Amino acid sequence: MVNINTVYTTVLYILNKEQRGYVTPAEFNSLATLVQDEIFESYFPDGNQVNRQNQNNTQNDTEFFNMFKDISYKLYPFERTASFTYNAGAGILGWEYTGAGTIFKLGEIISTYNTTNPQYDSITELASQSDFSKITRSTLTAPTMQYPLCTTGTGPNNSVLIKVSPQPNALNVNALFTPVVPEWKFTTGSLGQYVFSGASVNFELDISEQTNLIIGILKYCGLIINDPTIIQSAAAEAQEVEQNIKS
């Protein structure tokens, strides 16, 4: 987790060092969300690229220098069991996500069938709605308790909806969640100044991402205050860091 006040004060210090302008808390919060999402979503193509190096036996796999494991480690805080409840409402008839947070990706789905001797806890294959419809209608390919099939859709209030065939008694879903929205909150001092509030929401990213957050926010700050030199410097620094990581 990265302290949002540290990031904001560092950004302001760099901008003000040469009198290059000021970024308000509202502007900073918008940029903070944008940059955090960019970094979070970069883990997936980066992880895929590093995994190809693993397959070619060119990736360093020593204890503290395995980049694939490092990227996976950064995703651990966002991986947890998602709470799904069966909704038997008209036109729904599926397992609806009822938990807190926003699901980014679905992982392993386990369907539980409370049959007597034995009980089945079956890995459930995820299919497109078109394939799900074709497979479940065919007597030759119809899913079973040992090999269930599911598809996703949109439930009430744009919630995630999972339909499973055959219908299980319980559903256990592993998922990745998006980071919470960071926010630098403040109170107003006697002189009208912004005073940091302890109710602020920190970045959920790993502490190793602090420098990348600062560089990314500075890049967009250059657009706000119309200073191309900041954009160029931040972009060059970000490219150097990325090349060093991937090389």
Side-chain angles (χ1 to χ4, degrees), residues 61-191:
D61 63 354
T62 51
E63 183 175 5
F64 296 112
F65 301 96
N66 188 316
M67 293 305 301
F68 184 76
K69 287 183 178 180
D70 288 346
I71 294 173
S72 299
Y73 171 79
K74 292 177 181 180
L75 287 172
Y76 288 161
F78 308 103
E79 182 181 358
R80 56 183 182 270
T81 300
S83 177
F84 280 80
T85 304
Y86 187 71
N87 190 332
I92 302 176
L93 298 177
W95 294 85
E96 180 186 358
Y97 173 61
T98 55
T102 303
I103 293 177
F104 182 76
K105 284 181 180 290
L106 293 175
E108 188 175 69
I109 300 173
I110 303 294
S111 296
T112 298
Y113 298 92
N114 293 332
T115 54
T116 54
N117 197 22
Q119 171 178 298
Y120 294 108
D121 293 306
S122 305
I123 296 176
T124 308
E125 183 179 352
L126 180 62
S128 67
Q129 293 188 10
S130 175
D131 288 344
F132 180 82
S133 178
K134 293 176 183 177
I135 294 171
T136 54
R137 286 203 309 263
S138 171
T139 55
L140 294 176
T141 59
T144 64
M145 293 183 184
Q146 293 96 324
Y147 303 101
L149 188 71
C150 72
T151 189
T152 60
T154 303
N157 301 316
N158 292 319
S159 60
V160 178
L161 190 70
I162 299 178
K163 294 190 176 184
V164 185
S165 178
Q167 176 62 36
N169 299 101
L171 201 66
N172 188 288
V173 181
N174 187 45
L176 280 177
F177 288 78
T178 58
V180 297
V181 176
E183 184 178 5
W184 192 87
K185 296 183 178 181
F186 62 91
T187 57
T188 304
S190 58
L191 301 178

Side-chain angles (χ1 to χ4, degrees), residues 192-238:
Q193 76 276 25
Y194 298 127
V195 179
F196 174 69
S197 169
S200 297
V201 181
N202 290 322
F203 296 95
E204 278 198 311
L205 299 179
D206 186 76
I207 186 63
S208 63
E209 299 291 4
Q210 179 170 302
T211 299
N212 290 330
L213 285 166
I214 293 170
I215 293 172
I217 292 171
L218 280 171
K219 180 178 65 177
Y220 288 110
C221 285
L223 294 174
I224 291 177
I225 62 179
N226 195 25
D227 190 333
T229 59
I230 294 178
I231 302 173
Q232 294 166 3
S233 298
E237 180 68 22

